[in-house]
Amino acid sequence: MAKKIITVLGATGAQGGGLVRAIQSDPSGAFQARALTRHADSDKARALAATGAEVIQGDVDDATSLARAFDGAHGAFCITFYWDHFSPEKELAQVATMARLAKSAGLRHVVWSTLEDTRRRVPVGSGRMPVLMGKYNVPHFDAKGESDGQFVAQGVPTTFLLTSFYWDNFIHFGMGPKKGPDGVLALTLPMGDARLPGIAAEDIGRCAYGVFKAGEIYVGQHVGIAGGMPTGAEMAATMTRVLGREVRYNPVAPEVYRGFGFPGADDLGNMFQYKHDFEREFCGARDLALSKRLNPELQDFDTWLARNKERIPLD
Ligand SMILES: NC(=O)c1ccc[n+]([C@@H]2O[C@H](COP(=O)([O-])OP(=O)(O)OC[C@H]3O[C@@H](n4cnc5c(N)ncnc54)[C@H](OP(=O)(O)O)[C@@H]3O)[C@@H](O)[C@H]2O)c1
């Protein structure tokens, strides 16, 4: 039987890369990854090709290349790239194109990597948190949640994959523990005592593959995934044990975090505030047991940290 092709957007990235590797390493061989990249000759693209994935050059801003990438595919993993451009409008426009082309290609299953539109719980301008870019609370969340409607409007069979905070942010995103004035490492997050759903970025792709393999049962549903929901204090305690250096949890107020001044600090400050203030709803929208069923290799925080401890930059 012919393999079912899954077109993977963001294939050289964290989420999409995990999916390509999950597809290509499945001994059942039921699916074939078609990896979209803007740079087919890059090292990352070559590494994907070495797994047997089809690598196809294209850009989600170029509709012709995206249509070519969807042509003849069974399904697609759709994702946007907020931190490359900081534009929710760009995400909205890209998803509109993805949904339109998914429909015209007759895709049977799209997995859309999304997040909550926080404006459904926190009306913009309510005073709870600053309004950003004129109409958002958390721009990189809100535009994704709003974009869910594009797939619905086009009638594309879609699973809405609600992702979680990458633990890889402690390696790549500057969120790892930093030495305080007293010389002790501090993990600074504006989460108080609330639980923070998190996941290894690679596991998002593996969970997405579980959704594709499950077939139609998750079409039309939001599937929330996480590898664990530790508090800041619990993560600091795990870091202390696994890294062999004392790491203290340093909970700060969201307004302090927003004021840190790095690009996106206000967006992330609002994001953490939302996760803190709506801990029950945010955690409740993510299902650890389901995540494990979709991806039996799912890592919890301890496992992920033990495997990645050498990669955490420590001041
Ligand atoms: N950090 C977190 O905790 C977190 C949690 C949940 C969700 N997210 C969301 O995850 C998304 C990013 O996913 P990621 O972390 O997997 O990304 P990533 O690792 O930064 O990789 C994204 C890949 O997408 C490709 N790409 C970028 N622009 C493209 C375009 N115009 N057309 C085609 N391909 C393009 C790039 O590949 P080439 O250069 O090879 O083309 C890049 O390798 C963001 O929207 C973010 O909001 C992040």
Side-chain angles (χ1 to χ4, degrees):
M1 213 171 74
K3 293 185 179 203
K4 293 177 176 169
I5 295 169
I6 305 290
T7 300
V8 181
L9 309 186
T12 56
Q15 298 189 33
L19 174 57
V20 172
R21 287 182 285 277
I23 294 172
Q24 295 306 125
S25 62
D26 181 353
S28 85
F31 293 86
Q32 165 72 31
R34 179 183 286 167
L36 185 87
T37 173
R38 293 164 302 172
H39 311 287
D41 54 355
S42 70
D43 289 348
K44 285 183 174 177
R46 285 177 200 275
L48 294 180
T51 69
E54 177 190 356
V55 173
I56 177 169
Q57 181 129 349
D59 189 316
V60 300
D61 291 321
D62 169 7
T64 307
S65 68
L66 194 54
R68 208 168 41 236
F70 286 168
D71 185 41
H74 164 83
F77 178 72
C78 289
I79 183 166
T80 48
F81 319 104
Y82 182 83
W83 299 109
D84 285 5
H85 48 69
F86 292 76
S87 167
E89 270 66 40
K90 188 160 183 156
E91 289 191 289
L92 287 163
Q94 289 179 337
V95 180
T97 305
M98 290 173 199
R100 178 172 59 79
L101 296 178
K103 180 66 182 177
S104 43
L107 297 188
R108 307 284 295 275
H109 197 173
V110 164
V111 174
W112 156 231
S113 176
T114 190
L115 288 163
E116 283 87 344
D117 183 343
T118 67
R119 297 167 298 182
R120 300 208 175 107
R121 288 208 172 85
V122 182
V124 171
S126 65
R128 184 190 282 265
M129 54 183 71
V131 178
L132 302 181
M133 302 186 196
K135 53 179 180 170
Y136 302 102
N137 299 313
V138 185
H140 81 282
F141 268 54
D142 297 346
K144 291 185 181 66
E146 183 177 332
S147 295
D148 291 1
Q150 297 285 353
F151 294 102
V152 176
Q154 294 285 349
V156 176
T158 303
T159 301
F160 305 91
L161 191 71
L162 277 175
T163 62
S164 289
F165 176 87
Y166 303 173
W167 291 321
D168 310 65
N169 293 332
F170 297 135
I171 303 173
H172 305 296
F173 215 75
M175 289 190 181
K178 304 265 180 316
K179 228 183 249 175
D182 57 358
V184 177
L185 291 168
L187 177 66
T188 300
L189 289 171
M191 286 296 295
D193 295 331
R195 299 195 163 277
L196 175 63
I199 194 164
E202 180 85 10
D203 278 334
I204 298 179
R206 293 196 190 120
C207 288
Y209 186 43
V211 172
F212 282 118
K213 280 199 296 187
E216 288 173 5
I217 59 171
Y218 297 114
V219 165
Q221 291 191 39
H222 279 79
V223 169
I225 54 169
M229 304 189 185
T231 62
E234 286 170 351
M235 286 190 283
T238 302
M239 287 176 173
T240 299
R241 185 167 46 73
V242 174
L243 302 178
R245 296 260 304 267
E246 183 184 2
V247 178
R248 269 187 218 143
Y249 177 43
N250 175 35
V252 293
E255 50 275 23
V256 171
Y257 198 92
R258 284 190 282 267
F260 282 161
F262 62 84
D266 48 1
D267 188 331
L268 292 173
N270 282 5
M271 173 195 81
F272 284 122
Q273 185 181 349
Y274 179 85
K275 292 179 182 185
H276 171 272
D277 291 1
F278 298 94
E279 179 190 15
R280 191 169 54 83
E281 294 85 350
F282 195 79
C283 291
R286 285 152 180 81
D287 184 333
L288 298 179
L290 173 59
S291 307
K292 186 92 183 166
R293 283 202 301 281
L294 292 170
N295 166 22
E297 295 170 56
L298 187 77
Q299 299 159 78
D300 60 14
F301 183 63
D302 290 43
T303 307
W304 176 84
L305 188 63
R307 288 180 187 164
N308 290 279
K309 62 182 176 186
E310 313 294 349
R311 302 172 68 209
I312 309 267
L314 299 177
D315 288 345

